[in-house]
Amino acid sequence: MSQANKYYSGLAVLILSLLVLPFALSAAGTAWVRITNLAILFVFLSLGLNIVVGFAGLLDLGYVAFYAVGAYVYALLASPHFGLHLPFWMILPIGAGLAALFGVLLGTPTLKLRGDYLAIVTLGFGEIVRIFLNNLSQPINITNGPRGITLIDPVRLGSISFGRSDQFFGLVLSGPMKYYYLLLLLLSLVIVVNLRLQNSRIGRAWEAIREDEMAARAIGINTTRIKLLAFAMGASFGGVAGGMFSAIQGFISPESFVLTESVMILSMVVLGGMGNIWGVVAGAVLLSFVPEMLRYTVVPLQMTLFSRIVIEPEVIRLLLFGLALVLMMRFRPAGLWPLRARQREFHKQAAIK
Amino acid sequence: MNPSCLLEAQAISKRFGGVRALHEVSLTIRQCEIYGLIGPNGAGKTTFFNVLTGLCTASSGNFNFAGAPLDISAPHLVAQAGIARTFQNIRLFANMTALENVMVGRHLRTHAGVIGAVLGCAATRAEENAIQQRAVELLHYVGIADRANHLARNLPYGDQRRLEIARALATDPKLLALDEPAAGMNATETAALRVLIEGLRNDGLTVMLIEHDVKLVMGLCDRVAVLDYGEKIAEDVPENVQRNSKVIEAYLGA
Ligand SMILES: Nc1ncnc2c1ncn2[C@@H]1O[C@H](COP(=O)(O)OP(=O)(O)O)[C@@H](O)[C@H]1O
Ligand SMILES: [Mg+2]
């Protein structure tokens, strides 16, 4: 078989298995379809953050802020809170646009910062957005404060609502299963966007800034514009993911957008291999699923062993994140699936030893 | 301004706190000339390049370039106007291939944006091909085409210097400013570099050259300026500069 044939048949198998996956999962329990949906959202988020951190090399610890912006835009425009019920295909672009605007808002004052300093400012930005969401219930009630927004509309396409089960050609599709397919579609779009950008004039300019900002400026790259573009692009993906999150959950509150979420998304990018799209996908899938699997094994295990829960699953999750990163730094410092360039670089260092 | 004059620096001064790195330096560079800038370490040569290319702001003074005032408020504007440079301590995009390094150099003269890249439309693909083709040509020009797919970090030192020149050339400059391009090169590499620079001039480029290798400077340059403690103490053809007593005292020594 030729190389291209192999590639296409591999791709066909992958697509086919992704298409039947929810049926297999719902056999194991609807919860697993929901977990998979959240995992896809995290892959989506990681790919957005990868543009900023992986491509342009700008360490952003406040990424969850854009996720929050997208989520609240959806919640406010499609819930009884303001009595607005716009269709999702209208809200998602608004959310993406507003998140991009927030990206520029964060990018503009931090243009001269790099590394640790940038990380601290972006971290602060994430917290500021969350605190705003918590407090924008007075004097005018915009966000409903810590109580959050409830009864958010599910996605509707014509007469099909993603909130309930439907029958198509004799197949019963539950709400989460429909979301699965929608998310899969959005995810393929974002992967294509990422792949195309990476090998483009803009993608190369991002990489150049990551490698040597002064040299990039000297050869005529308008680093201000190109960096803001990275912030805006990354943020807009966060905004879309946030909108989908709102629709799927039906309820959001500032609690969903804490610093740990930013850290988690960043861990996914770093674990997989910064800058490499497939590495980032792998990292996000791994870090989304493994903790959930543990949740389903650790709790029953503790119950049988101690007949009570000694360590909360949430704690175990964070513990695992730490462990995964430590192990990665020790054994695969460039990530599980590193960018070609870094791979060679670390390989060479190993060879020198 | 004289029509054959490409760059005119007028009373450029630059202070770093108490250090007077440049003091009222004025000079003119003519079209198609190889213009040397020499002087002892710390004389302000690199600082002159940094001010000229917008990487640091001048305390006072201004430039005319190609018959118009040069806006040095941002480096990309200087590059846009047609001035490209290399760095004393090589600054390549280490984890990109040699080819990609030169392709980035085309950024300034190309236009594809996010939408074009994402949609992969015909115009973008044509431009992408042109970028790559030009980059390959330039790698051939500086003689490292066989290294196109090597990471910049893995190239031998001399090739890194050449790659930096290729990347600068990718911006279609009128004036190429080279900061100690022969530093760390052996005699063979230096001789090859000399051929390369002469070739650039024959192809219509104007070159400004900072160099410590006196033999190279004197053999290659049409005119030479000497900086000492931030001041221009001489500017003349090489033979006269070599005989200038101030220059001998400050730089050339015994
Ligand atoms: N960024 C800077 N900050 C402070 N001082 C500087 C800076 N750059 C250069 N200098 C000082 O300016 C003077 C000229 O330096 P430079 O232009 O690098 O000299 P040259 O290239 O001729 O060896 C030196 O005294 C140097 O220490
Ligand atoms: Mg110097």
Side-chain angles (χ1 to χ4, degrees):
Chain A
M1 232 189 319
S2 78
Q3 198 69 29
N5 267 336
K6 246 187 208 160
Y7 175 76
Y8 283 117
S9 45
L11 199 66
V13 170
L14 179 72
I15 290 174
L16 214 66
S17 29
L18 283 175
L19 286 180
V20 298
L21 182 67
F23 292 97
L25 285 173
S26 48
T30 323
W32 281 104
V33 183
R34 288 216 176 81
I35 290 169
T36 308
N37 286 348
L38 283 184
I40 297 178
L41 270 185
F42 273 111
V43 175
F44 199 101
L45 285 168
S46 304
L47 286 171
L49 184 61
N50 183 49
I51 291 180
V52 184
V53 179
F55 290 173
L58 305 162
L59 189 49
D60 181 353
L61 271 179
Y63 191 63
V64 78
F66 310 125
Y67 189 43
V69 168
Y72 268 88
V73 165
Y74 191 100
L76 295 179
L77 296 182
S79 74
H81 184 64
F82 285 146
L84 291 170
H85 297 279
L86 300 184
F88 89 102
W89 51 264
M90 237 166 118
I91 307 178
L92 284 192
I94 298 175
L98 198 69
L101 198 71
F102 269 73
V104 173
L105 208 65
L106 168 65
T108 310
T110 57
L111 280 169
K112 291 211 160 76
L113 302 179
R114 285 198 77 85
D116 315 357
Y117 302 99
L118 181 61
I120 291 168
V121 177
T122 51
L123 185 152
F125 179 79
E127 286 299 284
I128 289 170
V129 168
R130 189 180 60 82
I131 290 166
F132 261 98
L133 294 175
N134 244 327
N135 293 289
L136 274 183
S137 49
Q138 288 167 336
I140 320 163
N141 186 2
I142 301 175
T143 63
N144 209 23
R147 276 161 299 158
I149 294 173
T150 52
L151 297 173
I152 301 167
D153 298 348
V155 170
R156 263 190 219 97
L157 257 181
S159 64
I160 306 166
S161 166
F162 283 56
R164 52 164 202 269
S165 293
D166 267 310
Q167 210 164 358
F168 297 96
F169 314 111
L171 281 177
V172 179
L173 286 188
S174 64
M177 282 163 93
K178 279 183 271 183
Y179 276 122
Y180 171 88
Y181 290 115
L182 181 60
L183 286 169
L184 209 58
L185 185 75
L186 288 172
L187 181 63
S188 358
L189 281 179
V190 77
I191 288 179
V192 168
V193 169
N194 260 265
L195 284 172
R196 291 240 162 124
L197 279 179
Q198 185 164 34
N199 297 311
S200 73
R201 171 175 173 267
I202 303 291
R204 278 191 301 270
W206 281 333
E207 236 181 301
I209 291 176
R210 183 189 75 203
E211 293 293 316
D212 189 328
E213 187 169 344
M214 195 201 268
R217 295 169 69 202
I219 58 165
I221 292 175
N222 184 344
T223 49
T224 304
R225 241 176 57 195
I226 295 291
K227 275 190 189 180
L228 288 182
L229 191 61
F231 273 118
M233 289 287 303
S236 66
F237 287 138
V240 172
M244 289 309 297
F245 177 73
S246 264
I248 293 173
Q249 300 291 96
F251 162 76
I252 57 164
S253 74
E255 239 173 86
S256 306
F257 309 104
V258 289
L259 174 64
T260 3
E261 297 291 308
S262 288
V263 172
M264 206 157 75
I265 302 163
L266 186 65
S267 307
M268 291 170 178
V269 174
V270 174
L271 180 77
M274 256 189 281
N276 178 15
I277 292 161
W278 300 115
V280 170
V281 172
V285 168
L286 210 67
L287 284 188
S288 308
F289 273 113
V290 172
E292 291 300 332
M293 288 180 185
L294 279 168
R295 191 195 301 268
Y296 279 84
T297 49
V298 162
V299 172
L301 187 72
Q302 291 190 48
M303 288 306 272
T304 43
L305 282 183
F306 315 110
S307 55
R308 68 189 171 93
I309 294 169
V310 183
I311 310 173
E312 292 290 326
E314 188 57 21
V315 176
I316 294 178
R317 195 170 72 129
L318 284 178
L319 205 71
L320 273 172
F321 268 61
L323 192 68
L325 288 180
V326 170
L327 287 177
M328 181 205 113
M329 285 303 166
R330 173 65 188 81
F331 296 106
R332 290 189 74 90
L336 293 177
W337 199 343
L339 194 66
R340 156 209 59 163
R342 289 215 182 78
Q343 191 172 17
R344 285 199 216 155
E345 171 190 350
F346 282 105
H347 236 73
K348 214 172 151 233
Q349 281 176 0
I352 291 166
K353 277 187 211 153
Chain B
M1 205 160 101
N2 186 326
S4 78
C5 159
L6 181 65
L7 178 77
E8 185 180 17
Q10 291 169 334
I12 305 296
S13 296
K14 174 71 193 176
R15 306 187 70 97
F16 291 107
V19 178
R20 213 171 65 169
L22 290 172
H23 183 68
E24 310 230 319
V25 175
S26 299
L27 51 84
T28 53
I29 300 179
R30 300 174 193 142
Q31 301 272 8
C32 284
E33 160 170 76
I34 299 180
Y35 187 95
L37 190 60
I38 63 172
N41 270 325
K45 307 180 294 292
T46 298
T47 303
F48 185 85
F49 271 21
N50 288 345
V51 169
L52 171 64
T53 53
L55 288 174
C56 71
T57 48
S59 306
S60 65
N62 49 279
F63 293 96
N64 289 316
F65 181 70
L70 181 68
D71 185 352
I72 51 169
S73 60
H76 69 268
L77 298 176
V78 175
Q80 180 79 47
I83 298 177
R85 70 171 288 177
T86 64
F87 292 87
Q88 183 174 346
N89 16 353
I90 306 172
R91 302 191 79 122
L92 288 167
F93 306 124
N95 289 312
M96 297 171 85
T97 65
L99 185 70
E100 284 167 345
N101 265 273
V102 185
M103 287 173 79
V104 179
R106 292 300 295 159
H107 182 92
L108 179 61
R109 307 294 175 199
T110 46
H111 310 282
V114 168
I115 294 171
V118 169
L119 298 182
C121 52
T124 306
R125 268 178 296 147
E127 187 184 86
E128 190 71 10
N129 283 337
I131 291 173
Q132 184 162 347
Q133 203 179 338
R134 181 86 181 107
V136 171
E137 276 169 27
L138 285 166
L139 286 177
H140 272 289
Y141 188 88
V142 301
I144 55 170
D146 54 329
R147 310 270 185 179
N149 293 319
H150 290 228
L151 292 187
R153 65 176 325 128
N154 295 336
L155 293 180
Y157 187 79
D159 288 353
Q160 291 196 356
R161 288 255 178 234
R162 283 166 178 273
L163 178 55
E164 224 192 353
I165 293 175
R167 184 182 67 185
L169 291 175
T171 65
D172 294 342
K174 297 188 182 86
L175 173 69
L176 180 64
L178 303 172
D179 196 346
E180 301 199 22
M185 284 188 173
N186 61 32
T188 328
E189 287 172 326
T190 307
L193 179 73
R194 181 176 169 158
V195 173
L196 176 63
I197 295 174
E198 274 170 341
L200 289 172
R201 186 251 300 273
N202 291 339
D203 290 340
L205 212 66
T206 308
V207 179
M208 190 174 185
L209 177 67
I210 295 178
E211 191 45 70
H212 269 307
D213 186 328
V214 175
K215 230 175 76 197
L216 181 68
V217 173
M218 297 304 175
L220 196 56
C221 295
D222 302 302
R223 286 187 309 142
V224 175
V226 186
L227 286 185
D228 188 31
Y229 290 108
E231 285 187 59
K232 189 176 86 173
I233 57 171
E235 179 186 45
D236 213 329
V237 294
E239 301 82 66
N240 295 346
V241 166
Q242 269 175 302
R243 272 187 251 118
N244 185 313
S245 59
K246 271 204 271 182
V247 177
I248 293 171
E249 192 187 322
Y251 181 53
L252 297 174

